[in-house]
Amino acid sequence: MQWRIAGFAEIDSTNEEVRRQAEAGAAEGLVVTAQRQSAGRGRRGRAWESPEGNLFVSLLLRPQRAAMEAATLSFMVSLCVAEAVLAAGPALAGHVTCKWPNDVLLDGAKLSGILLESRAAQNRPGHLEHLIVGIGINLLWHPPDTPYPATNLAAHGLAETPESFLPRLLERFGFWYDLWQREGFAPVRQAWLGIAQGIGQPVVVRLAQEELQGRFVALDDGGALILEFADGARRAITAGDVFPVR
């Protein structure tokens, strides 16, 4: 992958800038960074606080696989973030985990947020025109009041800057994206499960209309979380928020 980096001091949202450039015909491999975002956002439209010192980056992809397969890229992205963190701090091995579907945790606290946004291809049913991968990583600061505990790399003794961390991230992204294009989700799934948070453990899954409790027993071939209940019944969860049972 040949990356082309466009950096901004301040912008509304790196995802929005990539969207604008994608719709103007930009090629795959565009990377947009910003020191600050005035309208950063996370999953489900949640605001993403964007203080200077953290990494805010969005990438433009034009995957050649079907849209249903492209949904599994969220696992690949969290895996790339986790591996970039471990490249910066090898001593953190065993402390960095991936939380379903695409969060990265450090000692059980959220370190990163990932937002994927796509546009369907008009002339290729079932495929994407483009996919935007937005990544926010808490290098220097994290919000104090969040539904799930948060942390940052500086609090764990790693003096990373956006400029030092971005090359680590892009190196891992290039490796895994090329492998995903060639071989699909299987190798990503295997690596992700190797550092998955909560696998084999009891969890609470909060859905839009209900809350479920069971054991996180597997990840299926499409990335769904397989929840096993006390009676042995299983259910595939494709969207929701997962929390450990306290």
Side-chain angles (χ1 to χ4, degrees), residues 2-246:
Q2 296 295 314
W3 303 111
R4 306 179 313 283
I5 301 174
F8 295 82
E10 183 167 348
I11 201 170
D12 52 354
S13 158
T14 55
N15 264 34
E16 279 302 299
E17 178 61 20
V18 171
R19 181 189 60 78
R20 290 188 285 262
Q21 295 205 33
E23 292 179 354
E28 181 175 68
L30 172 67
V31 178
V32 171
T33 68
Q35 295 176 27
R36 297 174 301 279
Q37 296 182 116
S38 59
R41 63 182 183 275
R43 291 172 59 219
R44 302 181 183 176
R46 296 165 181 160
W48 185 266
E49 296 188 55
S50 306
E52 191 166 347
N54 287 348
L55 176 63
F56 313 110
V57 59
S58 297
L59 299 84
L60 174 61
L61 304 179
R62 297 189 183 275
Q64 298 305 304
R65 287 182 168 269
M68 289 184 64
E69 293 180 272
T72 64
L73 278 171
S74 63
F75 296 90
M76 188 209 79
V77 179
S78 62
L79 179 62
C80 292
V81 172
E83 290 190 348
V85 170
L86 292 172
L92 295 177
H95 298 264
V96 178
T97 55
C98 289
K99 173 178 172 286
W100 188 90
N102 59 14
D103 287 334
V104 177
L105 307 182
L106 178 51
D107 283 340
K110 185 171 178 175
L111 183 67
S112 172
I114 294 166
L115 176 64
L116 273 61
E117 298 179 309
S118 62
R119 179 175 177 178
Q122 295 184 355
N123 58 349
R124 291 191 305 157
H127 288 73
L128 298 179
E129 182 66 30
H130 65 249
L131 179 70
I132 301 166
V133 177
I135 306 170
I137 302 175
N138 299 333
L139 302 179
L140 187 64
W141 178 93
H142 67 270
D145 300 313
T146 57
Y148 200 94
T151 191
N152 63 78
L153 288 185
H156 292 262
L158 288 184
E160 287 289 312
T161 66
E163 294 75 18
S164 66
F165 196 87
L166 181 61
R168 307 181 198 276
L169 178 62
L170 294 181
E171 188 278 327
R172 299 318 299 156
F173 203 104
F175 170 82
W176 281 108
Y177 184 59
D178 287 346
L179 185 60
W180 178 87
Q181 290 269 49
R182 296 194 311 270
E183 300 183 22
F185 183 46
V188 174
R189 176 181 177 274
Q190 181 177 3
W192 188 93
L193 283 170
I195 55 172
Q197 190 260 359
I199 188 74
Q201 301 298 316
V203 296
V204 172
V205 182
R206 295 178 185 167
L207 309 177
Q209 303 296 330
E210 60 182 328
E211 183 172 293
L212 306 173
Q213 183 170 327
R215 193 164 62 94
F216 175 14
V217 293
L219 190 71
D220 76 8
D221 292 342
L225 181 153
I226 305 302
L227 192 67
E228 184 178 78
F229 301 103
D231 63 0
R234 293 187 173 191
R235 177 169 168 180
I237 307 296
T238 57
D241 291 317
V242 179
F243 299 87
V245 173
R246 301 295 184 185

